[in-house]
Amino acid sequence: MLYVIFLLTLALLVVLGLTSLANGAGPAALAPVQKIVKPAADPLKGIVGVFGVIAVIWGSWNVIRFVVSIEGLRYGALSQLIGLVTCLVLVTVGVLAAYVSVAAFFGAPASGAGKFVDWFKKSFGNIESAVGLTALVLALWMLIEFILNQSGVYI
């Protein structure tokens, strides 16, 4: 089960990170990187909405799980805090990627949830490529940490 959870989170971070980095607005310094990543992200356009909705649900669940088990923060605090940041980034790129799907479902911006989604897109839309790059870096960190843990090295 651990492998399934790991692969789900890794896949969501990579797919949504790639699409957000390639298609999102952001700092001009990321423009050369966007040109390199765009060909890899173009085939994912059709499924990114589904991945985004799954990422929002999965990331929200993990944030709730973290808040409920905050007492265990003493042991492996750095790893747990990086996990919390990963879940928050996952929710952010999920909402940004699935904006159209989520907005249509909630009737944005007519309902309260639709207004929240619209506000979220406006707030984070300007840095979408930076959030996508952060998601890719966190995915790489997660992969390295997983490999080290399987080798008996715990961070």
Side-chain angles (χ1 to χ4, degrees), residues 6-28:
F6 166 73
L7 289 174
L8 172 68
T9 308
L10 187 68
L12 289 172
L13 281 171
V14 170
V15 168
L16 296 176
L18 274 175
T19 55
S20 291
L21 178 60
N23 302 322

Side-chain angles (χ1 to χ4, degrees), residues 74-136:
R74 295 181 286 250
Y75 309 107
L78 178 63
S79 180
Q80 286 183 340
L81 288 176
I82 291 173
L84 176 64
V85 169
T86 302
C87 293
L88 292 172
V89 167
L90 194 60
V91 169
T92 304
V93 294
V95 169
L96 292 172
Y99 174 70
V100 175
S101 303
V102 173
F105 179 76
F106 284 119
S111 67
K115 289 179 184 177
F116 174 74
V117 170
D118 195 41
W119 168 83
F120 197 88
K121 175 69 175 174
K122 287 178 184 173
S123 298
F124 289 96
N126 297 332
I127 58 167
E128 186 173 357
S129 61
V131 174
L133 182 62
T134 305
L136 289 174

